[in-house]
């Protein structure tokens, strides 16, 4: 069993110190929801930008590389790549954390339109959406037996 949260082993560790409900996903997400705001932000910031620097450098976790590839993000045209860089930068400048969406449940066009749309949200709303999307990422990783 490898880590199911990006660079955030504290969530599984904290869940392991509590009684299990029998629903691992629910137990993990309870830890996330009860975490303080700095911990929530650290969790969101542990995620790489889509088609971002880590993807170019080849420093993504294996799970993240596979997730990005499943949405077609490893096969971008130069124009699409530019659009990701521009939207990633605008999003980070506005909210102070990277854009997170469950890449495996979305395709390239859907991700780009969500980025544009979510740029109009408020910060609290975006924190809640990012945490919910991380819940989906983790649900799929648990289903894969990771
Ligand atoms: N950053 C934004 N979306 C994702 C995703 O689905 N997986 C990972 N690992 N990082 C992301």
């Amino acid at each position: 069993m490898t880590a199911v949260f990006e660079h955030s082993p504290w969530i599984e560790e904290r869940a392991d110190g509590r009684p299990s409900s029998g629903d691992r996903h629910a137990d993990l997400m309870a830890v996330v929801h009860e975490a303080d705001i700095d911990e929530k932000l650290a969790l969101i910031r542990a995620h790489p930008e889509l088609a971002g620097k880590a993807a170019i450098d080849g420093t993504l976790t294996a799970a993240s590389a596979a997730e990005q590839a499943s949405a077609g993000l490893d096969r971008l045209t130069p124009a699409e790549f530019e659009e990701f860089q521009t939207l990633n930068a605008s999003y980070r400048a506005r909210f102070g954390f990277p854009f997170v969406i469950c890449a495996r449940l979305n395709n390239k066009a859907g991700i780009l339109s969500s980025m544009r749309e979510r740029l109009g949200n408020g910060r609290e709303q975006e924190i809640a959406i990012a945490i919910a999307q991380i819940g989906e990422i983790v649900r799929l990783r648990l289903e894969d037996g990771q």
Side-chain angles (χ1 to χ4, degrees):
M1 179 72 83
T2 53
V4 292
F5 286 89
E6 287 288 303
H7 310 295
S8 308
W10 58 272
I11 301 165
E12 284 166 273
E13 285 162 15
R14 231 174 259 182
D16 290 342
R18 300 174 171 194
S20 163
S21 72
D23 179 341
R24 182 68 171 164
H25 186 260
D27 292 346
L28 291 170
M29 292 313 290
V31 171
V32 172
H33 287 297
E34 290 162 30
D36 67 33
I37 185 64
D38 290 333
E39 291 170 328
K40 286 179 178 152
L41 288 171
L43 170 62
I44 296 169
R45 290 185 179 125
H47 288 72
E49 279 173 348
L50 294 172
K53 186 172 179 294
I56 300 161
D57 296 349
T59 55
L60 291 173
T61 61
S64 190
E67 286 160 9
Q68 298 213 28
S70 83
L73 304 187
D74 58 339
R75 305 179 292 281
L76 297 176
T77 65
E80 289 166 342
F81 184 79
E82 270 311 303
E83 192 165 13
F84 268 96
Q85 305 317 306
T86 304
L87 288 166
N88 275 331
S90 303
Y91 186 93
R92 193 184 280 275
R94 173 156 164 78
F95 298 112
F97 48 82
F99 175 82
V100 177
I101 193 168
C102 179
R104 281 167 76 181
L105 294 178
N106 292 278
N107 61 24
K108 189 165 62 182
I111 292 171
L112 286 169
S113 70
S114 291
M115 286 176 102
R116 284 186 219 102
E117 190 179 307
R118 283 172 51 186
L119 265 169
N121 287 343
R123 192 162 189 269
E124 296 304 307
Q125 193 182 3
E126 269 310 300
I127 291 170
I129 293 173
I131 296 286
Q133 291 295 311
I134 290 167
E136 291 300 284
I137 293 169
V138 165
R139 185 173 60 74
L140 294 176
R141 290 182 179 184
L142 285 170
E143 284 173 9
D144 285 345
Q146 280 188 59

